[in-house]
Amino acid sequence: MPAALPLKQPVKVGQLLRRRLRELKRTPRELAEAVNVSEDYMADLVTGRRRPPAPGRTDLYAPMTKFLRLHRNDLPTCARAERAAGPAGRRRPDAEVSRQVLELCLPERQRVLQRRLSRPDGAELDHVIVGRLLQVAQGFVNRKLEDEVGLRMAATRDGCTYLEARMRLLEFLDADAESLTPRDCDEFLRPRITSWDIDLETHAMRIVLK
């Protein structure tokens, strides 16, 4: 079967995956194997139970596009539209996550920031801080994900399979400021970030890495 023509209008990612799998007479399991993710992860994506990864996640969308013979922009375009059409309004980051993040701030600034974060408009600042630190940590994880040999060695050391180790990294890359967990902070943020500070007027951040 030839490659699909570019979509005229974006649809939900799960809908596109289901349609193309049906057209190619392939299964979600085969797609999971091609993308090197767990069957559960792919099943959730295909059925729409999982929010689609960010449009820039070429580590997932590129092999999916190749397997499904889609136009290279179809999945990122659909993901962008679906994520933009999500629930209105944003939840504040987890309180324990915010506490752990604040502990990494320069000690002399913690009290000032704590007061600012407790104000009614503090939620937006909370999002900015957690989101920026998350982006930094995800950059490290992206590079770790690209090192298959190193990841396989780490999986052996930690007593898990390569796929289990890979999925843990992928789950973290799917996180945003609202879904970041205290475990994520312990495992990915704190080991990488020594300290940070923020200009409360411009929101420019200075992040010191380990």
Side-chain angles (χ1 to χ4, degrees):
M1 177 176 287
L5 295 173
L7 291 174
K8 293 182 179 179
Q9 294 292 333
V11 297
K12 289 189 174 182
V13 169
Q15 180 182 342
L16 177 58
L17 297 180
R18 292 192 300 273
R19 186 181 76 197
R20 197 59 182 155
L21 286 169
R22 185 170 59 250
E23 290 171 349
L24 295 173
K25 296 181 172 56
R26 307 302 290 268
T27 67
R29 180 178 183 177
E30 291 173 311
L31 180 56
E33 291 175 352
V35 183
N36 206 0
V37 298
S38 69
E39 291 182 42
D40 287 344
Y41 183 96
M42 186 56 68
D44 286 345
L45 203 54
V46 169
T47 58
R49 290 192 298 265
R50 173 180 290 273
R51 186 189 190 203
R57 292 289 303 283
T58 55
D59 57 303
L60 295 177
Y61 290 133
M64 289 167 69
T65 293
K66 181 178 180 180
F67 181 85
L68 296 172
R69 303 179 197 171
L70 290 165
H71 186 271
R72 61 186 177 85
N73 292 328
D74 283 351
L75 284 168
T77 298
C78 290
R80 186 176 296 107
E82 184 173 345
R83 288 168 68 94
R90 296 192 297 180
R91 291 184 295 107
R92 191 159 188 159
D94 180 89
E96 176 60 19
V97 167
S98 297
R99 187 192 67 78
Q100 289 192 33
V101 164
L102 189 60
E103 285 181 350
L104 295 173
C105 177
L106 294 173
E108 62 271 20
R109 294 277 287 160
Q110 287 184 16
R111 187 168 297 179
V112 173
L113 283 164
Q114 200 164 29
R115 286 199 299 268
R116 181 63 71 91
L117 289 168
S118 66
R119 286 166 38 170
D121 61 350
E124 182 60 32
L125 179 62
D126 208 2
H127 263 281
V128 169
I129 294 169
V130 174
R132 298 263 179 84
L133 296 177
L134 175 60
Q135 287 175 358
V136 170
Q138 286 176 332
F140 281 105
V141 168
N142 254 320
R143 290 190 286 276
K144 189 174 181 180
L145 193 63
E146 293 169 358
D147 180 10
E148 181 177 339
V149 173
L151 187 54
R152 287 186 181 279
M153 292 175 63
T156 300
R157 183 183 64 243
D158 295 340
C160 64
T161 66
Y162 167 71
L163 183 58
E164 288 170 339
R166 175 176 162 80
M167 290 311 304
R168 178 67 186 118
L169 300 186
L170 290 175
E171 291 284 0
F172 177 68
L173 290 176
D174 280 349
D176 56 22
E178 296 177 18
S179 62
L180 190 68
T181 67
R183 179 192 173 193
D184 292 332
C185 286
D186 281 337
E187 190 171 348
F188 298 111
L189 263 70
R190 298 176 75 94
R192 292 295 183 184
I193 296 171
T194 297
S195 64
W196 60 271
D197 196 8
I198 186 169
D199 185 308
L200 294 175
E201 298 301 322
T202 66
H203 288 180
M205 289 186 70
R206 176 177 178 270
I207 301 171
V208 179
L209 305 177
K210 292 184 179 179

